Amino acid sequence: MTLRKGDKTTISIQEHMAIDVCPGPIKPIKQISDYFPRFPRGLPAAVGRSSSSSPRPSPSQPSVSPAEEPPEDEEDVERLLGGAHGSTEQPAKSQAPEEVLDPEGYESDDCTTLGTLDFSLLYDQENNALHCTINKAKGLKPMDHNGLADPYVKLHLLPGASKANKLRTKTLRNTLNPTWNETLTYYGITDEDMIRKTLRISVCDEDKFRHNEFIGETRIPLKKLKPNQTKNFNICLEKQLPIDKTEDKSLEERGRILISLKYISQKQGLQVGILRCAHLAAMDANGYSDPYVKIYLKPDEDKKSKHKTAVKKKTLNPEFNEEFFYEIKHGDLAKKTLEVTVWDYDIGKSNDFIGGVVLGINAKGERLKHWFDCLKNKDKKIERWHTLTNELPGAVLSD
């Protein structure tokens, strides 16, 4: 292209943009790990901590001309290879021990990644109730695309975790710092439970279109609690811990039942009260059951000892408050066994067995103690909560 004298040089917009975009040789962009203490999985910690500028040469070292100086991108490659495969050069300063990389990569400790949970526990010994007040959570891990979560809290008692003993709070939408201030109560908790049970508290994210997602959990052995004293907790959530699957499945808990026993001397007989059940296993598709209770005093040669309560519709916590009477001499009670079973009523098909318990001289633990206290204390009503299990020795599992 030839220019006349006095004409100005014109540059097209394409040439102008090319000049602005490409002013010279492209230099390597710093890695993100240069700015943060954590490093991507697989890269050694030494790579990110290495300074981006090369150290100044000391006066005693010969200066290197710019032509002999290696390019910056080659230096970065050498640093990477040297950090990964080891270097024969001794570091000028002693370095602190390298941090062990989290197997999950970017995550730090559970407190900062999963959040904390504030709650309190109270064991009401007189009423056999465990009150769990879920106050609030802070700094929960984001689970949704908007960087927030829809958290709720659920409780299980271990061992024997099942739908029967699950309790949960309401769900709070679009928050990482939810405040529930909600009290969940387990009924029928005995002193024996307080010694051997552990409360599992899980925080989850509710999802309308997929399975709910786990955020974090904590576990509290109930033996840490003192009766009738509220204990406050503010605990960092942990990753999901494995549940011991070696538990005897035949002893899976299916709920609790409150039974009263009273031997009436004047009538010469045993009065059995079926008061209520709590946290029954759900047997129907709607998440509930239609429970009723049957009792037998065995051995029962005449097949006349069967009694049955009314059916309570669509509930897992029915209240019956019904009493049944067996005419029997006090001395013969030591030879008898009281068999209590809970059933789910179904129309047009066989009723489903929910759980059962046996009281008698051959029982163990609270079941034996309840029977013994009844024999020992005539004319005194004695109420006790008992755990229902999904297997009852000697029972015919049909109705």
Side-chain angles (χ1 to χ4, degrees):
M1 179 180 176
T2 58
L3 294 175
R4 296 178 184 176
K5 193 173 183 179
D7 288 349
K8 292 183 179 179
T9 306
T10 58
I11 301 174
S12 66
I13 187 63
Q14 290 85 354
E15 293 173 318
H16 180 74
M17 293 301 296
I19 291 171
D20 286 347
V21 172
C22 305
I26 300 175
K27 295 184 179 181
I29 300 173
K30 285 187 177 182
Q31 300 180 43
I32 294 178
S33 58
D34 288 339
Y35 302 96
F36 297 96
R38 285 276 173 180
F39 308 100
R41 189 181 305 172
L43 285 181
V47 176
R49 293 198 180 100
S50 60
S51 60
S52 59
S53 59
S54 57
R56 297 179 181 177
S58 60
S60 60
Q61 293 176 336
S63 60
V64 180
S65 64
E68 297 174 354
E69 189 173 2
E72 291 185 19
D73 54 350
E74 291 184 10
E75 288 183 355
D76 289 340
V77 173
E78 288 177 1
R79 286 195 203 106
L80 179 60
L81 294 176
H85 300 290
S87 174
T88 57
E89 295 180 2
Q90 295 294 329
K93 295 182 180 180
S94 60
Q95 299 179 351
E98 289 188 8
E99 189 174 0
V100 178
L101 293 178
D102 195 325
E104 296 296 328
Y106 65 90
E107 290 186 357
S108 59
D109 62 325
D110 292 338
C111 274
T112 57
T113 59
L114 303 180
T116 60
L117 183 65
D118 184 284
F119 61 96
S120 64
L121 301 176
L122 169 63
Y123 173 47
D124 182 352
Q125 190 175 35
E126 182 179 354
N127 296 309
N128 295 103
L130 176 65
H131 303 288
C132 313
T133 301
I134 308 299
N135 299 319
K136 60 184 178 179
K138 185 177 179 182
L140 294 179
K141 180 180 178 180
M143 303 299 290
D144 298 335
H145 295 301
N146 59 5
L148 300 173
D150 302 320
Y152 66 92
V153 178
K154 64 179 180 179
L155 310 180
H156 284 103
L157 284 174
L158 305 177
S162 65
K163 292 182 180 180
N165 64 35
K166 182 183 83 171
L167 300 177
R168 61 163 286 175
T169 67
K170 60 181 179 292
T171 301
L172 300 182
R173 303 290 177 186
N174 296 323
T175 179
L176 299 180
N177 300 287
T179 299
W180 290 282
N181 290 329
E182 194 171 338
T183 299
L184 306 174
T185 301
Y186 280 106
Y187 295 100
I189 301 298
T190 64
D191 291 342
E192 183 181 353
D193 292 325
M194 297 301 294
I195 295 173
R196 67 184 187 92
K197 292 281 188 179
T198 295
L199 179 66
R200 180 192 185 195
I201 306 177
S202 307
V203 182
C204 300
D205 170 63
E206 185 175 292
D207 201 315
K208 292 182 179 179
F209 305 105
R210 297 180 298 173
H211 290 295
N212 296 343
E213 296 179 290
F214 175 86
I215 297 177
E217 71 170 41
T218 186
R219 298 185 186 186
I220 306 297
L222 296 185
K223 60 185 178 183
K224 288 186 175 182
L225 305 180
K226 294 181 179 179
N228 307 314
Q229 293 185 20
T230 301
K231 188 173 179 65
N232 298 308
F233 298 86
N234 194 327
I235 294 181
C236 294
L237 296 173
E238 304 176 61
K239 297 172 186 176
Q240 194 162 15
L241 302 173
I243 296 178
D244 185 9
K245 295 183 179 180
T246 61
E247 297 174 16
D248 187 358
K249 296 297 181 182
S250 66
L251 298 180
E252 177 188 345
E253 293 187 9
R254 308 300 291 270
R256 303 291 173 97
I257 186 168
L258 180 59
I259 300 173
S260 69
L261 298 178
K262 179 181 180 181
Y263 187 82
I264 303 176
S265 301
Q266 187 176 359
K267 294 184 177 180
Q268 290 288 303
L270 176 68
Q271 181 176 281
V272 179
I274 303 299
L275 306 180
R276 61 180 297 190
C277 294
H279 318 300
L280 293 179
M283 306 302 289
D284 296 335
N286 60 9
Y288 294 97
S289 293
D290 301 320
Y292 67 94
V293 180
K294 290 194 308 177
I295 62 174
Y296 292 89
L297 191 63
K298 294 186 173 182
D300 181 23
E301 292 84 1
D302 299 331
K303 307 293 182 182
K304 295 181 180 180
S305 72
K306 176 182 174 181
H307 289 290
K308 185 188 298 187
T309 69
V311 176
K312 302 295 180 179
K313 293 289 186 178
K314 199 177 178 181
T315 179
L316 300 180
N317 298 281
E319 292 191 21
F320 299 100
N321 294 317
E322 296 187 38
E323 292 182 336
F324 306 97
F325 184 78
Y326 291 105
E327 186 175 340
I328 185 173
K329 294 180 180 178
H330 184 268
D332 293 336
L333 274 180
K335 305 172 187 177
K336 295 288 185 176
T337 296
L338 182 68
E339 186 178 285
V340 182
T341 55
V342 183
W343 299 78
D344 169 55
Y345 177 76
D346 287 319
I347 299 176
K349 60 178 183 177
S350 298
N351 298 331
D352 298 318
F353 174 72
I354 297 178
V357 64
V358 173
L359 307 181
I361 205 69
N362 295 320
K364 296 180 180 179
E366 288 291 328
R367 296 165 294 162
L368 173 60
K369 189 174 186 298
H370 194 185
W371 191 255
F372 181 76
D373 287 346
C374 172
L375 298 180
K376 184 179 178 182
N377 301 282
K378 294 181 181 179
D379 302 309
K380 181 180 179 181
K381 181 184 288 188
I382 300 173
E383 296 181 2
R384 293 280 166 80
W385 282 94
H386 297 283
T387 300
L388 298 169
T389 60
N390 67 334
E391 190 169 283
L392 190 58
V396 179
L397 301 185
S398 62
D399 187 28

